Amino acid sequence: MDDIRRKTVKAVLSEGAALAGTKVDVKGWVRTRRGNKNVQFVALNDGSTINNLQIVFDLSKFSDSELKPITTGSSIHVQGELVASQGAGQSVEVQAEELEVYGTAPGDYPLQKKGHTLEFLREKAHLRPRTNTFGAILRIRHALAFAIHKFFNDKGFYYFHTPLITASDCEGAGAQFQVTTLPLADLPKDEEGRVDYSQDFFGKLASLTVSGQLEGELGATALGLIYTFGPTFRAENSNTPRHLSEFWMIEPEMAFYEIADNMDLAEEFIKYCISYALEHCADDIRFLNDHFDKELIDRLKFVIDNDFVRLPYTEGVKILEESGKKFEFPVYWGVDLASEHERFLVEEHFKKPVILTDYPKEIKAFYMKLNDDGKTVRAMDVLFPKIGEIIGGSQREENLEKLQKRVDELGLTGMDWYMDTRRYGTVPHSGFGLGFERLVLFVTGMQNIRDVIPFPRYPNNCEF
Ligand code: 4AD
Ligand code: MG
């Protein structure tokens, strides 16, 4: 092989015309090989783009036995001249001059043909990143993560790292995974027969975090504007297409923001992320649009171009009650809305994203600011077509007495450090949490959240 610098498939295709007539060096995995006695065509992909580079092997230069190992899934290194392509579907192709085979992929390679079902690919989750579909999803996922950091950095927010192992329970939902080094078959007990956590690794009960918010509030009441972006763990037994046991959450927290500022930020943020993906992942989104969801691009543009509806919970419930629609779960004031209710408001009634506010305090977390009516709190859930809840947030209760009352009512303990934010220099503040995979789900148009994270965790599944 000549000493030429390797180029990615993406670089070769985008530089195309400028490189024509020069010798290029490319490496990648073979997607397909076809052809006849005189010439063989290989579609080469290296993950840099959804598009393949066509490599042409002239059989007067390469023998059958040299080409034999080049089957779907094998990995190769090729040098050759880049030329304008005669065939349809690509503007340039490589006339192979030299070939090195890195690794063969025998006939039992599971990803032989195109068009495997998503269910089949979930069984082969360790290999599915090599498919067109998952390549597209994972590149979009990357772009969205990058857009999120860019959005907040450009606005002067600080990336604040909250702990994954925690001794507090933010959402009070009680669905936490415990972290312990105690011998499970022989647990040390105290005099009352309860597990003696003082002998555990941290000297107390510890869990994986369900949210970085409470610690995020410590950051916001010092740095002003912060966001977190990290893994989050929930042990609820939710076998749905929208729940994972391990997912990523973005949680901005802003000092001096009230609920309206919070809604403005959430709407701007989510529109920014979608615009970023449309601009930077055009090929991948087009592929998903054409293969899975013909309305995807229209839906993404629609969300960017339209104001979200802002509606108090009480009015939302009224609309649901008066809709005459038969829901599986009953609707009444005070109920925690089910996904079917949220989707009715968004998809059938308003046909737009909806930010629902001012929920009954009983169905929301202890930290939300109580309204003057004494019944509702300044919560805001952003509800999206196809997804339901994509963001949950609120203005926080900054009044020490009111917050203490709520903490006592709910019997929460070990919150002294949190109460110090209200005890010393308390300020109005707000924040929200975006479920990263729900955003990726929306932007890719996929149906199942298990298909938008490389290694999904859900009840009875912890592969790799
Ligand atoms: O509504 P949640 O529970 O809110 C919080 O955790 C707050 N502490 C956020 C805050 O105000 N800083 O979760 C926020 C979002 C949801 O709207 C949803 O998008 C996502 O996290 N989410 C999940 N995503 C995937 N799988 C699950 N099991 C999820 N649970 C919540
Ligand atoms: Mg929520």
Side-chain angles (χ1 to χ4, degrees), residues 208-250:
L208 293 178
T209 187
V210 296
S211 158
Q213 179 197 321
L214 302 188
E215 295 90 349
E217 288 184 53
L218 301 175
T221 51
L223 299 168
L225 303 172
I226 66 97
Y227 70 104
T228 72
F229 188 170
T232 311
F233 309 88
R234 297 201 181 174
E236 65 221 348
N237 194 5
S238 302
N239 259 303
T240 83
R242 282 180 307 280
H243 287 88
L244 290 164
S245 312
E246 176 182 290
F247 62 101
W248 288 64
M249 185 155 45
I250 299 96

Coordinates of all heavy atoms in Angstrom, one line a residue, residues 208-250:
L208 N -28.9 4.6 43.4 CA -28.6 5.3 42.2 C -29.6 6.5 42.0 O -30.8 6.3 42.4 CB -28.7 4.4 41.0 CG -27.7 3.3 41.0 CD1 -27.9 2.4 39.7 CD2 -26.3 3.9 40.9
T209 N -29.2 7.6 41.5 CA -30.0 8.8 41.5 C -31.2 8.6 40.5 O -31.1 8.0 39.4 CB -29.2 10.0 41.1 OG1 -30.0 11.2 41.2 CG2 -28.7 10.0 39.7
V210 N -32.4 9.2 40.8 CA -33.5 9.3 39.9 C -33.5 10.7 39.3 O -34.3 10.9 38.4 CB -34.8 9.0 40.6 CG1 -34.9 7.6 41.1 CG2 -35.1 10.0 41.7
S211 N -32.7 11.6 39.7 CA -32.6 13.0 39.2 C -31.5 13.7 39.9 O -31.3 13.5 41.1 CB -34.0 13.7 39.5 OG -33.9 15.1 39.4
G212 N -30.8 14.6 39.2 CA -29.8 15.4 39.8 C -30.3 16.7 40.3 O -29.5 17.6 40.7
Q213 N -31.6 16.9 40.3 CA -32.2 18.2 40.5 C -31.8 18.8 41.9 O -31.4 20.0 42.0 CB -33.7 18.2 40.4 CG -34.3 19.6 40.7 CD -35.8 19.4 41.0 OE1 -36.5 18.6 40.3 NE2 -36.3 20.2 41.9
L214 N -32.0 18.1 43.0 CA -31.8 18.7 44.3 C -30.3 19.2 44.4 O -30.1 20.3 44.9 CB -32.1 17.7 45.4 CG -33.5 17.1 45.4 CD1 -33.8 16.3 46.6 CD2 -34.6 18.2 45.2
E215 N -29.4 18.4 44.0 CA -28.0 18.8 44.0 C -27.8 20.0 43.0 O -27.0 20.9 43.2 CB -27.1 17.7 43.7 CG -27.0 16.6 44.7 CD -28.1 15.5 44.5 OE1 -28.9 15.6 43.6 OE2 -28.0 14.4 45.1
G216 N -28.6 19.9 41.9 CA -28.5 21.0 40.9 C -28.9 22.3 41.4 O -28.4 23.4 41.1
E217 N -29.9 22.3 42.4 CA -30.3 23.5 43.0 C -29.2 24.1 43.8 O -29.1 25.4 43.9 CB -31.6 23.3 43.9 CG -32.8 23.0 43.0 CD -34.1 22.9 43.9 OE1 -34.4 23.7 44.7 OE2 -34.8 21.8 43.7
L218 N -28.3 23.3 44.4 CA -27.2 23.8 45.1 C -26.3 24.6 44.1 O -25.7 25.6 44.5 CB -26.4 22.7 45.8 CG -27.2 21.8 46.8 CD1 -26.3 20.7 47.3 CD2 -27.6 22.7 48.0
G219 N -26.1 24.0 42.9 CA -25.3 24.7 41.9 C -25.9 26.0 41.5 O -25.2 27.0 41.3
A220 N -27.2 26.0 41.2 CA -27.9 27.2 40.7 C -27.9 28.3 41.7 O -27.9 29.5 41.3 CB -29.3 26.8 40.2
T221 N -28.0 28.0 43.0 CA -28.0 29.0 44.0 C -26.6 29.5 44.3 O -26.4 30.2 45.3 CB -28.8 28.6 45.2 OG1 -28.3 27.3 45.7 CG2 -30.3 28.4 44.9
A222 N -25.7 29.1 43.5 CA -24.3 29.6 43.6 C -23.8 30.1 42.3 O -23.3 31.2 42.2 CB -23.4 28.4 44.1
L223 N -24.0 29.4 41.2 CA -23.5 29.8 39.9 C -24.5 30.5 39.1 O -24.2 31.0 38.0 CB -23.0 28.5 39.2 CG -21.8 27.8 39.9 CD1 -21.6 26.4 39.2 CD2 -20.5 28.6 39.8
G224 N -25.7 30.5 39.5 CA -26.8 31.2 38.8 C -27.5 30.3 37.8 O -28.7 30.0 37.9
L225 N -26.8 29.9 36.8 CA -27.4 29.1 35.7 C -26.6 27.8 35.6 O -25.4 27.9 35.2 CB -27.4 29.8 34.4 CG -28.1 31.2 34.3 CD1 -27.8 31.9 33.0 CD2 -29.6 31.1 34.5
I226 N -27.2 26.7 35.8 CA -26.4 25.4 35.6 C -27.3 24.4 34.8 O -28.5 24.6 34.7 CB -26.0 24.8 36.9 CG1 -27.2 24.3 37.8 CG2 -25.1 25.7 37.8 CD1 -27.6 22.9 37.6
Y227 N -26.6 23.4 34.3 CA -27.4 22.3 33.8 C -26.6 21.0 34.1 O -25.4 21.0 34.2 CB -27.7 22.4 32.3 CG -26.4 22.3 31.4 CD1 -26.2 21.1 30.7 CD2 -25.5 23.3 31.3 CE1 -25.1 20.9 29.9 CE2 -24.4 23.1 30.5 CZ -24.2 22.0 29.8 OH -23.1 21.8 29.0
T228 N -27.4 19.9 34.2 CA -26.8 18.6 34.4 C -27.1 17.8 33.1 O -28.0 18.1 32.4 CB -27.3 17.9 35.6 OG1 -28.6 17.4 35.2 CG2 -27.4 18.7 36.8
F229 N -26.3 16.8 32.8 CA -26.6 15.9 31.7 C -25.9 14.6 32.0 O -24.7 14.5 31.9 CB -26.0 16.6 30.4 CG -26.4 15.8 29.1 CD1 -26.1 16.4 27.9 CD2 -27.0 14.6 29.1 CE1 -26.4 15.8 26.7 CE2 -27.4 14.0 28.0 CZ -27.1 14.6 26.7
G230 N -26.7 13.7 32.5 CA -26.1 12.5 33.0 C -27.1 11.3 33.1 O -28.3 11.5 32.9
P231 N -26.6 10.1 33.4 CA -27.4 9.0 33.5 C -28.3 9.1 34.7 O -27.9 9.6 35.7 CB -26.5 7.8 33.7 CG -25.1 8.3 33.4 CD -25.2 9.8 33.6
T232 N -29.5 8.5 34.6 CA -30.5 8.6 35.6 C -31.1 7.2 35.7 O -31.2 6.5 34.7 CB -31.6 9.6 35.2 OG1 -30.9 10.8 34.8 CG2 -32.6 9.9 36.3
F233 N -31.5 6.7 36.9 CA -31.9 5.3 37.1 C -33.3 5.3 37.7 O -33.5 5.9 38.8 CB -30.9 4.6 37.9 CG -29.5 4.8 37.4 CD1 -28.7 5.8 37.8 CD2 -29.0 3.9 36.4 CE1 -27.4 6.0 37.3 CE2 -27.7 4.0 35.9 CZ -26.9 5.1 36.4
R234 N -34.2 4.5 37.2 CA -35.5 4.4 37.8 C -35.9 2.9 37.8 O -35.9 2.3 36.7 CB -36.5 5.2 37.1 CG -36.2 6.7 37.3 CD -37.3 7.7 37.1 NE -36.8 9.0 37.3 CZ -37.4 10.1 37.1 NH1 -38.7 10.0 36.8 NH2 -36.9 11.3 37.3
A235 N -36.2 2.4 39.0 CA -36.5 1.0 39.1 C -38.0 0.7 39.0 O -38.5 -0.4 39.4 CB -36.0 0.5 40.5
E236 N -38.8 1.6 38.4 CA -40.2 1.3 38.3 C -40.4 0.2 37.2 O -39.6 0.2 36.2 CB -41.0 2.6 37.9 CG -40.6 3.2 36.5 CD -40.5 4.7 36.5 OE1 -41.0 5.4 37.5 OE2 -40.0 5.2 35.5
N237 N -41.4 -0.6 37.4 CA -41.6 -1.7 36.5 C -42.4 -1.3 35.4 O -43.5 -1.8 35.2 CB -42.2 -2.9 37.3 CG -42.2 -4.2 36.6 OD1 -41.5 -4.3 35.5 ND2 -42.8 -5.2 37.1
S238 N -41.9 -0.4 34.5 CA -42.7 0.1 33.4 C -42.2 -0.5 32.1 O -41.2 -0.1 31.6 CB -42.5 1.7 33.3 OG -42.9 2.3 34.5
N239 N -43.0 -1.4 31.6 CA -42.6 -2.0 30.3 C -43.3 -1.3 29.2 O -44.2 -1.9 28.6 CB -43.1 -3.5 30.4 CG -41.9 -4.4 30.6 OD1 -40.9 -4.4 29.9 ND2 -42.0 -5.2 31.7
T240 N -42.9 -0.1 28.9 CA -43.6 0.7 27.9 C -42.6 1.1 26.9 O -41.4 1.1 27.1 CB -44.3 1.9 28.5 OG1 -43.3 3.0 28.6 CG2 -44.9 1.7 29.8
P241 N -43.1 1.5 25.7 CA -42.1 2.0 24.7 C -41.5 3.4 25.0 O -40.8 3.9 24.2 CB -43.0 2.1 23.4 CG -44.4 1.8 23.8 CD -44.5 1.5 25.2
R242 N -41.9 3.9 26.2 CA -41.3 5.3 26.5 C -40.5 5.3 27.8 O -40.1 6.3 28.3 CB -42.5 6.3 26.6 CG -43.0 6.8 25.3 CD -44.1 7.8 25.4 NE -45.1 7.2 26.3 CZ -46.1 6.4 25.9 NH1 -46.1 6.0 24.6 NH2 -47.0 5.9 26.7
H243 N -40.3 4.1 28.4 CA -39.6 4.1 29.7 C -38.4 3.2 29.6 O -38.4 2.1 29.0 CB -40.5 3.5 30.8 CG -41.5 4.4 31.3 ND1 -42.8 4.5 30.7 CD2 -41.6 5.3 32.3 CE1 -43.5 5.4 31.3 NE2 -42.8 6.0 32.3
L244 N -37.3 3.7 30.2 CA -36.1 2.9 30.4 C -35.7 2.8 31.9 O -36.1 3.8 32.6 CB -34.9 3.5 29.6 CG -35.0 3.5 28.1 CD1 -34.0 4.4 27.5 CD2 -34.7 2.0 27.6
S245 N -35.0 1.8 32.3 CA -34.5 1.8 33.7 C -33.3 2.7 33.9 O -33.0 3.2 34.9 CB -34.2 0.4 34.1 OG -35.3 -0.5 33.7
E246 N -32.5 2.8 32.8 CA -31.4 3.7 32.8 C -31.5 4.6 31.6 O -31.6 4.2 30.4 CB -30.1 2.9 32.6 CG -28.8 3.7 32.5 CD -27.6 2.9 32.4 OE1 -27.2 2.2 33.3 OE2 -27.0 2.9 31.2
F247 N -31.7 5.9 31.8 CA -31.8 6.9 30.7 C -31.0 8.1 31.1 O -30.4 8.2 32.2 CB -33.3 7.2 30.5 CG -34.0 7.9 31.7 CD1 -34.2 9.3 31.7 CD2 -34.5 7.2 32.7 CE1 -34.8 9.9 32.7 CE2 -35.1 7.8 33.8 CZ -35.3 9.2 33.8
W248 N -30.9 9.0 30.1 CA -30.1 10.2 30.3 C -31.0 11.4 30.5 O -32.0 11.5 29.8 CB -29.1 10.4 29.2 CG -28.0 9.4 29.2 CD1 -28.1 8.1 29.0 CD2 -26.6 9.7 29.4 NE1 -26.8 7.5 29.2 CE2 -25.9 8.5 29.4 CE3 -25.8 10.9 29.6 CZ2 -24.5 8.4 29.6 CZ3 -24.5 10.8 29.8 CH2 -23.8 9.5 29.8
M249 N -30.7 12.3 31.4 CA -31.6 13.4 31.6 C -30.7 14.7 31.6 O -29.6 14.7 32.1 CB -32.4 13.3 32.9 CG -33.4 14.4 33.1 SD -34.8 14.0 34.2 CE -34.2 13.2 35.6
I250 N -31.3 15.7 31.1 CA -30.7 17.1 31.1 C -31.6 17.9 32.0 O -32.8 18.0 31.9 CB -30.8 17.7 29.7 CG1 -30.0 16.9 28.7 CG2 -30.2 19.1 29.7 CD1 -30.9 15.9 27.9

